[in-house]
Amino acid sequence: MYPKSFEQLVGALEALPGVGTKTAQRYAFTLLNKTEKAQELAEALAAIKNLRRCKKCGFLSENDLCEICNDSHRDISTIMVVASDQDLTAVERTGQYHGLYHVLNGTLSSTKGIYPEDLNLETLYERLDGIKEVIIAISPTIDGEMTALYLDKVLKKYPLKITRLAYGLPMGANLDYADDMTITKALIHRQKFEEQ
Amino acid sequence: MYPKSFEQLVGALEALPGVGTKTAQRYAFTLLNKTEKAQELAEALAAIKNLRRCKKCGFLSENDLCEICNDSHRDISTIMVVASDQDLTAVERTGQYHGLYHVLNGTLSSTKGIYPEDLNLETLYERLDGIKEVIIAISPTIDGEMTALYLDKVLKKYPLKITRLAYGLPMGANLDYADDMTITKALIHRQKFEEQ
């Protein structure tokens, strides 16, 4: 029904996650009516061809080393292992962590068939010299927990402290609505008042 | 946090309707991981630069005249006036209409300040010679009704039949959930059983 080039744009937009034909058409009409926005998007798509993974930590980067690995103000004795770029930025946003990161780009998964060799792990082992602490900061999902346990097992062979983000009630949570596992973890790891 | 070219892609994607930073980031990661999809999108964006409006009816087209206006099998004595490209394709999808269209590219709106001169109306008046019937097929919203009434008033000056899509209960509707206005319209315009 629509001209071929319009249908192609709709088709290309349908590749985005969770976008069906109806939404893709709405996007396409917006891009059609805002030509400078369409131009910006086309240029941005061309520019990401230069994006790669930091050779040291695996984070997105325009150069061989990412901005964080290149930052001389970071504490180079600590590495926080995260599953994804998004998780890294979530921690970085807090401004509370000043060490280095290591991005696994995934988690182990028996259902999806993701094994240790599919993750960015080799480069982690190569950079453990001189590291005092590895913080495992992987989301406590089933796959995440499996990955954390695996990492803990492997990293125990190295002379370093292995820690993980604390489990407990999220700030602002309603105890009544928290799941049993979270309450159990919060109880087991209960903290002294002054520690909070 | 992210490399500049990634942030630019996220920013460009945020121009899409209803897309916030979180969704734009999800889209950007998908495009980053599926390079051939990103390439397709970039090419499709380049191709829509050639899209324009049909000089006769105002529908999207790659040429001066759209496919429908160019189709010699259509009934050239009937014009259906629709508000948007999407409305045209909704009617066309049914395969029940074989006449021509005229796309207004909007509806009158006192709140948004859209007046007759802002719509694709001049070209409509220019093509009324030899037309036997104009079907007004504009969504029955407040602005749509105002536009339909305006069109009816203007078109009455021409020697042609003016009709509009029937109002009534949508197929599959539950009478109990239909709004009063729809039930009232369905009652006033009740049809003989054999007409259905």
Side-chain angles (χ1 to χ4, degrees), chain B residues 170-185:
Chain B
M171 295 306 289
N174 192 326
L175 195 59
D176 195 20
Y177 284 87
D179 64 291
D180 294 355
M181 188 66 100
T182 300
I183 298 177
T184 306
K185 291 277 188 186

Side-chain angles (χ1 to χ4, degrees), chain A residues 1-6 9 12 15 17 19 27 29-30 32 37 39 41 44 49 51 60 62 85-86 89 92, chain B residues 1-3 5-6 9 12 15 17 19 27 29-30 32 37 39 41 44 49 51 60 62 85-86 89 92:
Chain A
M1 188 56 38
Y2 290 111
K4 214 179 86 206
S5 53
F6 185 81
L9 178 60
V19 173
Y27 288 175
F29 275 113
T30 303
L32 201 65
K37 293 288 175 192
Q39 182 64 27
L41 182 54
K49 281 181 195 150
L51 277 180
L60 273 186
E62 273 158 352
D85 301 308
Q86 290 99 313
T89 55
E92 197 64 0
Chain B
M1 190 55 41
Y2 290 110
S5 53
F6 185 82
L9 178 59
V19 173
Y27 288 175
F29 275 114
T30 303
L32 202 65
K37 292 287 176 192
Q39 181 64 26
L41 181 55
K49 281 180 195 151
L51 277 181
L60 273 187
E62 273 159 353
D85 300 309
Q86 291 99 313
T89 54
E92 198 63 2

Side-chain angles (χ1 to χ4, degrees), chain A:
Chain A
M1 188 56 38
Y2 290 111
K4 214 179 86 206
S5 53
F6 185 81
E7 292 285 8
Q8 274 165 351
L9 178 60
V10 172
L13 288 165
E14 280 182 278
L16 297 173
V19 173
T21 308
K22 210 82 184 173
T23 305
Q25 283 183 356
R26 204 153 54 92
Y27 288 175
F29 275 113
T30 303
L31 291 167
L32 201 65
N33 294 327
K34 298 184 180 171
T35 40
E36 81 284 7
K37 293 288 175 192
Q39 182 64 27
E40 262 175 46
L41 182 54
E43 281 166 16
L45 284 167
I48 55 162
K49 281 181 195 150
N50 300 321
L51 277 180
R52 61 197 101 170
R53 296 266 159 209
C54 172
K55 284 197 174 163
K56 206 161 156 192
C57 75
F59 184 50
L60 273 186
S61 174
E62 273 158 352
N63 306 299
D64 278 354
L65 286 187
C66 72
E67 279 182 45
I68 295 170
C69 285
N70 252 336
D71 183 347
S72 58
H73 295 94
R74 312 279 312 199
D75 165 16
I76 58 164
S77 68
T78 312
I79 292 179
M80 182 182 285
V81 180
V82 292
S84 68
D85 301 308
Q86 290 99 313
D87 289 354
L88 183 155
T89 55
V91 174
E92 197 64 0
R93 233 180 4 241
T94 67
Q96 299 297 310
Y97 177 69
H98 308 290
L100 302 174
Y101 292 93
H102 195 85
V103 184
L104 297 182
N105 278 315
T107 48
L108 298 178
S109 171
S110 46
T111 51
K112 291 183 202 150
I114 300 173
Y115 301 102
E117 58 269 30
D118 301 318
L119 301 180
N120 181 30
L121 278 170
E122 276 310 311
T123 49
L124 172 62
Y125 306 145
E126 284 163 14
R127 55 190 288 223
L128 291 178
D129 237 15
I131 300 297
K132 289 186 188 139
E133 179 177 358
V134 169
I135 305 169
I136 300 176
I138 298 176
S139 304
T141 58
I142 291 173
D143 287 348
E145 282 297 274
M146 193 167 75
T147 313
L149 287 173
Y150 173 85
L151 266 176
D152 181 57
K153 202 185 72 182
V154 177
L155 294 175
K156 266 187 182 136
K157 294 178 216 156
Y158 296 83
L160 43 80
K161 190 169 142 196
I162 307 166
T163 59
R164 56 189 306 169
L165 293 187
Y167 286 147
L169 295 169
M171 295 305 290
N174 191 325
L175 194 59
D176 195 20
Y177 284 85
D179 64 291
D180 294 356
M181 189 67 100
T182 300
I183 298 177
T184 306
K185 291 278 189 184
L187 186 62
I188 293 171
H189 301 288
R190 62 192 180 276
Q191 296 141 1
K192 279 199 180 164
F193 228 88
E194 48 269 42
E195 279 179 16
Q196 304 249 336

